[in-house]
Amino acid sequence: MLPEPSRVATRRARKKERTRQEIFGAAMERFAARGFDAVTIEAICEAADVARATFFLHFPSKAALLWEWNRQVAREFRAGARSPSCARWSS
């Protein structure tokens, strides 16, 4: 019996997101340790244990990792700005 198509897609989506996060995490660790310019895509791929082609399936360039980081920081900032502990700043 084959699994339901929606379950397969969900599993694939979860795996895709895990791989994306592994690449992103490996990149951020290396950028923090060595600086953006000193880190190669090959080093990121090696650390994330993915092929170069897999990297490019998830990110069009090394700079796109910084764009993703910026998106995450902005999302966290917005979430923090809405929290009750930040209410004193909204007055």
Side-chain angles (χ1 to χ4, degrees), residues 57-79:
L57 285 172
H58 294 277
F59 298 97
S61 66
K62 187 172 85 166
L65 291 159
L66 294 182
W67 178 253
E68 177 64 22
W69 177 77
N70 186 42
R71 251 180 17 93
Q72 289 185 14
V73 168
R75 186 177 331 129
E76 290 171 11
F77 179 78
R78 282 190 306 273

Side-chain angles (χ1 to χ4, degrees), residues 6-78:
S6 63
R7 289 187 58 138
V8 172
T10 301
R11 185 178 307 132
R12 284 184 182 158
R14 287 193 310 263
K15 179 161 179 20
K16 183 177 179 180
E17 184 57 30
R18 266 194 315 270
T19 300
R20 182 178 173 80
Q21 288 304 316
E22 288 171 9
I23 293 167
F24 180 77
M28 292 303 110
E29 288 174 10
R30 271 128 200 92
F31 294 162
R34 298 183 206 134
F36 180 81
D37 290 332
V39 178
T40 63
I41 290 175
E42 289 77 14
I44 295 166
C45 292
E46 184 178 322
D49 195 26
V50 299
R52 187 176 167 90
T54 303
F55 175 92
F56 286 108
L57 285 172
H58 294 277
F59 298 97
S61 66
K62 187 172 85 166
L65 291 159
L66 294 182
W67 178 253
E68 177 64 22
W69 177 77
N70 186 42
R71 251 180 17 93
Q72 289 185 14
V73 168
R75 186 177 331 129
E76 290 171 11
F77 179 78
R78 282 190 306 273

